[in-house]
Amino acid sequence: MTAEQKLSQLGLQLPPPPEPKGVYSPLVVAGKLAYTAGHLPVDGQGSLITGRVGAELDTEAGYHAARQTGLAILATLRRHLGSLDRVRRLVKLLGAVNCTPDFDRQPAVINGCSELLAEVFGPQAGVGARSAVGVASLPLGVPVEIEAIFEID
């Protein structure tokens, strides 16, 4: 099953691809690699999800925000590549979690994005290397920012 078919089968709706919030490209292709800029979580209407994990948001809400960020990444891939079927595999995911100093469940939060990509691209192609880190703040008060590197054809 292709990634586009899987997305449809799962009943997932992609948000509008996010517009840059500064001077950068949302996606850069270099050879067979597609690098995404850091993506922020948006809800189904395209509004930013905000809050700090460990304060206003719990782990589950952070997970949901990371999943929504994954959908935004997929929307960017589709816009710039024409189809998610051009993705061969996820190479690397980097997730930053805006959290309180005592919060230590960053990997559980970023799993929201990781599990989405594994669902869409499959357990081999959708799982790559990953880092999940906690930070003191993120742009516009969002709970997560995620960037990814994909191998494409």
Side-chain angles (χ1 to χ4, degrees), residues 27-88:
L27 183 93
V28 172
V29 174
K32 295 271 187 190
L33 297 177
Y35 297 81
T36 72
H39 278 61
L40 307 180
V42 291
D43 62 20
Q45 291 71 46
S47 298
L48 285 175
I49 297 170
T50 59
R52 192 169 190 204
V53 182
E56 299 86 14
L57 304 176
D58 61 11
T59 302
E60 183 177 332
Y63 175 97
H64 173 74
R67 186 172 177 88
Q68 291 301 117
T69 304
L71 291 171
I73 289 170
L74 293 175
T76 293
L77 286 168
R78 182 188 273 167
R79 172 187 273 175
H80 290 271
L81 301 177
S83 172
L84 297 177
D85 295 339
R86 289 193 56 201
V87 173
R88 291 291 133 239

